[in-house]
Amino acid sequence: MGATGRLGRAGLALAAVVLLGLVAACGGKVGENGRFGVVYMDAQGFYAGVRAGMQQEAEALGHVPQLLQINAQGDASKESTFVDQVSAAKVDALILSPASATASVPAIKLAHSSGIPVICYNTCIAEDSARKYVSAYVLGDPVRFGALLGDQAAEHFRSTGKAEPKIAVVNCEFVEVCIQRRQGFEQALKAKLPGASIVANQEGATIDDAVDVAERILTAHPDVDAFYGEAGGATMGAVRAVQARGKIGQTVVFGSDMSTEAAQALAAGTVLKAVVDISGIAVGKLAARAADQVRRGDLKTYTVVPAPIELYVGPQQGGAWLTAHPDGVP
């Protein structure tokens, strides 16, 4: 498709996106402080936090851009269509959590070749491509992320006297960071408990899929001692499966990504024992700041921007999170 075709459809499509998105002009003329194209993988949870964080940071910087936003739902083709549109519209920056390390490359390359700085958060394309086409990557070290939970799982089983726990993984390994999370989890777990074993590893990134996957695993491995959920949907799906199968007191869950439901489960103390989290609000702030730095020319080469990682253990910390996040935005 030629550039003329892209421009012809971009105006209409972007009008729809603006209606769905957050227009933050603080009085004044819409778009006078620039426009950012933003892609989320979901509309709630972590990604709602990212959106809130970007808005807060933009207001703190004193010049709030118009945000043209889409929930791509992890769909690389939907993501590509949106990037095509905002590239044609010449936004000031593209901020996204790419759906795929490989399938998202052409869209990001298009934005880069259109002169639009690209900022990844949470996930990104493969590093060799990122170094060519991405200006900044806001990332909580995924190996350390998994290692914090693996270490906590080892401590839990040590305290219960179980030296050879059987653990099942519900994964999101269609993105590279989830593979790295598992690697960190396994390394830390087996460093303290060499007899621990991973008896299953299956994909279940959304809650509904994760419930089905975890229930199938419990059928195949009724003696599984724990689940490791690599992302929020995987975590809560595993918790629900343990509850539905009457495995409370037998199978526990160690999970990723805080939410109101996760904090409530952690506060209950029966199934979910620990959660590792990277605050969506913190990531949104860092992404907005990086976009502003790139736009001003302060970031000229590919830069990894570290995001803070937090570990929550036990009922007290689950309850404290609920108190600190009454709106449920992580």
Side-chain angles (χ1 to χ4, degrees), residues 110-149:
L110 170 66
H112 175 78
S113 65
S114 300
I116 297 167
V118 177
I119 291 84
C120 287
Y121 68 91
N122 190 47
T123 63
C124 202
I125 53 177
E127 186 175 358
D128 57 342
S129 296
R131 289 186 175 277
K132 294 178 186 175
Y133 310 126
V134 174
S135 296
Y137 181 11
V138 180
L139 175 69
D141 182 350
V143 174
R144 179 171 176 268
F145 184 103
L148 286 171
L149 213 53

Side-chain angles (χ1 to χ4, degrees), residues 64-320:
V64 183
Q66 179 187 16
L67 302 184
L68 310 177
Q69 305 170 104
I70 189 172
N71 171 14
Q73 300 174 311
D75 185 332
S77 63
K78 187 180 293 187
E79 172 187 272
S80 178
T81 299
F82 176 78
V83 173
D84 185 80
Q85 293 160 0
V86 296
S87 296
K90 298 296 183 184
V91 295
D92 297 284
L94 171 66
I95 303 172
L96 79 169
S97 179
S100 168
T102 53
S104 297
V105 172
I108 290 176
K109 182 179 179 181
L110 170 66
H112 175 78
S113 65
S114 300
I116 297 167
V118 177
I119 291 84
C120 287
Y121 68 91
N122 190 47
T123 63
C124 202
I125 53 177
E127 186 175 358
D128 57 342
S129 296
R131 289 186 175 277
K132 294 178 186 175
Y133 310 126
V134 174
S135 296
Y137 181 11
V138 180
L139 175 69
D141 182 350
V143 174
R144 179 171 176 268
F145 184 103
L148 286 171
L149 213 53
D151 188 74
Q152 189 60 42
E155 289 298 324
H156 170 82
F157 286 115
R158 274 184 168 182
S159 71
T160 61
K162 188 175 285 289
E164 298 181 349
K166 297 178 180 178
I167 298 176
V169 178
V170 182
N171 77 51
C172 51
E173 294 184 9
F174 54 89
V175 291
E176 180 67 21
V177 293
C178 290
I179 296 173
Q180 294 171 330
R181 286 180 178 186
R182 175 175 49 79
Q183 291 169 341
F185 177 85
E186 289 192 48
Q187 290 165 8
L189 173 69
K190 292 182 178 181
K192 287 190 172 180
L193 284 180
S197 59
I198 304 297
V199 298
N201 182 14
Q202 297 182 28
E203 183 178 316
T206 67
I207 290 181
D208 290 343
D209 287 346
V211 170
D212 291 341
V213 166
E215 288 193 343
R216 288 198 301 269
I217 290 173
L218 286 170
T219 299
H221 303 276
D223 58 346
V224 70
D225 297 297
F227 282 101
Y228 166 40
E230 290 180 353
T235 297
M236 294 316 303
V239 169
R240 291 183 187 183
V242 170
Q243 294 168 334
R245 288 300 181 97
K247 292 286 187 177
I248 296 173
Q250 301 172 51
T251 305
V252 297
V253 176
F254 299 92
S256 310
D257 304 340
M258 283 297 280
S259 64
T260 296
E261 187 179 3
Q264 289 170 340
L266 192 60
T270 56
V271 178
L272 187 59
K273 297 300 180 180
V275 177
V276 173
D277 186 54
I278 298 171
S279 165
I281 292 174
V283 167
K285 289 181 177 181
L286 290 169
R289 193 176 307 161
D292 188 65
Q293 289 173 328
V294 170
R295 183 169 61 170
R296 290 189 283 106
D298 294 339
L299 285 181
K300 299 182 184 296
T301 59
Y302 174 72
T303 302
V304 174
V305 180
I309 302 172
E310 298 175 282
L311 173 66
Y312 298 88
V313 181
Q316 185 174 352
Q317 292 188 2

